[in-house]
Amino acid sequence: DTGVSQDPRHKITKRGQNVTFRCDPISEHNRLYWYRQTLGQGPEFLTYFQNEAQLEKSRLLSDRFSAERPKGSFSTLEIQRTEQGDSAMYLCASTRGAVTDTQYFGPGTRLTVL
Amino acid sequence: EDQVTQSPEALRLQEGESSSLNCSYTVSGLRGLFWYRQDPGKGPEFLFTLYSAGEEKEKERLKATLTKKESFLHITAPKPEDSATYLCAVPLQGGSEKLVFGKGTKLTVNP
């Protein structure tokens, strides 16, 4: 257990529905990252927060995706109008400082879009 | 162009049969290289960080080394519980705060 928690662990939804995932980072960590991982691939960067500010977003993060980190604590990732291509493992990681510091990952949320 | 390439994609070993996994990278001005272990259905688990060529780190049966173009994860006398996917990652060049992962090497150790 790294101290990073994610909820839910699994989510099955129908195409077109909205889903929201939550990540609770290690409490003293300022940075929080979201990644997406599909079968046979490494995690792909989606976005990151420094405290409550969202500082960088990937091109993978279409306008159907939105992330927040109110008060610089937990973060949520929402996917609107889900598509089958959104099926993946969504991972959250936190770190104390810069990208050169170790990122500690949560257990992930497995999303299946039917 | 892939900036992090791992080989082989999959590796099967017998228990006790030592081997090495490779991670080559093309980013310039390397700011660190990270190794993670990932079990099926779980998040990556941190193993090592290497920052400069010539650096080595060890943990149990694993040793990570770094050169100017690649890193190796040496596994000595592996056990079945070492079976997992091993991922390496580097920060993108140009001051970006993104971490770029390779596709991983799936290691299977047979008893």
Side-chain angles (χ1 to χ4, degrees):
Chain A
D1 183 5
T2 62
V4 179
S5 61
Q6 292 187 246
D7 184 70
R9 295 291 310 278
H10 303 276
K11 179 71 176 179
I12 299 174
T13 191
K14 293 182 179 179
R15 188 175 55 187
Q17 298 295 304
N18 300 341
V19 295
T20 300
F21 310 139
R22 176 180 171 127
C23 170
D24 286 89
I26 295 171
S27 59
E28 64 266 27
H29 283 184
N30 298 321
R31 286 205 178 179
L32 186 150
Y33 291 78
W34 283 100
Y35 293 87
R36 182 172 71 186
Q37 186 176 27
T38 53
L39 198 62
Q41 302 294 317
E44 293 177 288
F45 170 87
L46 291 178
T47 188
Y48 90 93
F49 292 83
Q50 175 79 28
N51 298 314
E52 66 273 11
Q54 187 175 17
L55 298 183
E56 196 167 348
K57 292 193 290 187
S58 165
R59 293 173 299 165
L60 294 173
L61 213 65
S62 74
D63 56 6
R64 297 186 296 106
F65 288 71
S66 62
E68 294 182 341
R69 193 183 181 195
K71 303 179 182 178
S73 56
F74 71 92
S75 176
T76 59
L77 178 69
E78 181 183 15
I79 307 175
Q80 296 181 326
R81 304 182 303 281
T82 53
E83 301 172 356
Q84 288 186 325
D86 296 331
S87 295
M89 174 78 91
Y90 289 84
L91 294 162
C92 170
S94 72
T95 184
R96 192 179 300 273
V99 69
T100 50
D101 292 333
T102 300
Q103 294 187 19
Y104 294 92
F105 282 82
T109 295
R110 167 71 66 188
L111 173 66
T112 301
V113 181
L114 302 176
Chain B
E1 178 186 347
D2 288 342
Q3 293 163 311
V4 181
T5 303
Q6 291 189 246
S7 62
E9 290 185 7
L11 181 63
R12 285 187 174 271
L13 299 173
Q14 288 299 121
E15 185 171 2
E17 179 187 2
S18 302
S19 188
S20 296
L21 315 181
N22 177 264
C23 171
S24 63
Y25 58 90
T26 57
V27 295
S28 58
L30 185 71
R31 296 181 287 157
L33 186 142
F34 301 86
W35 281 100
Y36 286 86
R37 168 196 171 123
Q38 187 173 29
D39 292 305
K42 297 187 177 181
E45 173 189 347
F46 171 72
L47 292 174
F48 305 108
T49 309
L50 302 167
Y51 288 107
S52 56
E55 190 174 359
E56 298 183 352
K57 288 192 176 174
E58 288 188 63
K59 179 180 178 180
E60 297 180 354
R61 295 176 292 282
L62 299 176
K63 182 169 83 171
T65 61
L66 181 65
T67 72
K68 289 186 177 180
K69 293 184 178 181
E70 58 192 348
S71 176
F72 291 93
L73 185 65
H74 307 278
I75 180 161
T76 302
K79 298 182 178 181
E81 53 262 41
D82 295 320
S83 297
T85 295
Y86 291 85
L87 298 162
C88 72
V90 299
L92 204 60
Q93 61 195 36
S96 171
E97 295 300 298
K98 295 179 185 178
L99 200 58
V100 178
F101 281 83
K103 294 182 179 181
T105 293
K106 183 176 181 179
L107 175 66
T108 303
V109 182
N110 296 316

